[in-house]
């Protein structure tokens, strides 16, 4: 489903060029759940941002089926990102003044979906992530794990092809993080949602289909 070829990303720092990604190749099948591990600062988040259409590579291609993402103009890339990719970050980035239901609805409303339809989909997703009784609570009334579950539901509201998760359990205690990871695993197994997860947690990473380690700008598969 996703074909990444010779992906490179460089940054200028004064007179120096920093080679963050050095020609990465990766193919991701529909319904797979992959983990990417590695030390802080090696480029894991940059890689995820490029795969998701958030940041343009220096060179290389990211293809979703027949679509070459970065051969498009900026507006088309933004539309692709909004329609086909869901994001879950370490910090949930929920809007504090809105309820869980309203936070999950937000991407659908931005897409001009009918409000009643968006509310129905959002309520159903919140039920699936175990928050059916908490849909009218604001983020400040929810635990950290519950807030991250809202963020997962929000990532799914437009039925994306892939969910990219950047340290989704990194801000949670081990028990709560385990529960959130189990939720992602269940969604992958029961709904066939494709996940690429960046994580520092080797224990959680080993429970995915494939694990890749990023170092020196490259990805290598873990045994």
């Amino acid at each position: 489903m996703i074909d990444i070829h010779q992906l490179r990303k460089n940054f200028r720092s004064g007179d120096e060029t920093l080679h963050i990604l050095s020609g990465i190749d990766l193919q991701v099948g529909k319904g797979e759940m992959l983990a990417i591990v590695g030390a802080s600062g090696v480029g894991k988040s940059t890689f995820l941002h490029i795969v998701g259409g958030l940041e343009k590579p220096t060179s290389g291609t990211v293809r979703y089926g027949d679509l070459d993402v970065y051969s498009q103009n900026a507006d088309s890339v933004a539309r692709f990102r909004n329609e086909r990719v869901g994001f879950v970050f370490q910090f949930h980035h929920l809007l504090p003044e809105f309820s869980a239901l309203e936070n999950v609805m937000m991407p659908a409303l931005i897409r001009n979906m009918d409000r009643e339809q968006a509310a129905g989909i959002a309520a159903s997703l919140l039920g699936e992530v175990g928050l059916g009784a908490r849909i009218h609570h604001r983020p400040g009334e929810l635990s950290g794990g519950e807030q991250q579950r809202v963020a997962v539901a929000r990532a799914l509201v437009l039925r994306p092809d892939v969910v990219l998760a950047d340290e989704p359990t990194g801000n949670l205690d081990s028990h709560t993080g385990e529960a959130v990871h189990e939720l992602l695993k269940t969604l992958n197994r029961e709904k066939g949602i494709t996940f690429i997860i960046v994580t520092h947690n080797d224990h959680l990473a080993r429970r995915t289909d494939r694990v890749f380690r990023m170092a020196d700008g490259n990805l290598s598969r873990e045994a």
Side-chain angles (χ1 to χ4, degrees), residues 39-78:
S40 296
V42 297
K44 302 186 301 298
S45 294
T46 297
F47 175 74
L48 213 61
H49 292 170
I50 293 173
V51 173
L54 285 171
E55 187 171 337
K56 190 173 183 178
T58 301
S59 63
T61 58
V62 177
R63 301 183 69 91
Y64 281 67
D66 293 332
L67 176 66
D68 183 346
V69 174
Y70 292 105
S71 68
Q72 307 180 100
N73 62 35
D75 288 343
S76 296
V77 172

Side-chain angles (χ1 to χ4, degrees), residues 74-90:
D75 288 343
S76 296
V77 172
R79 185 164 56 252
F80 153 80
R81 180 177 65 241
N82 293 336
E83 292 178 353
R84 299 184 62 179
V85 183
F87 294 93
V88 180
F89 299 102
Q90 178 175 353

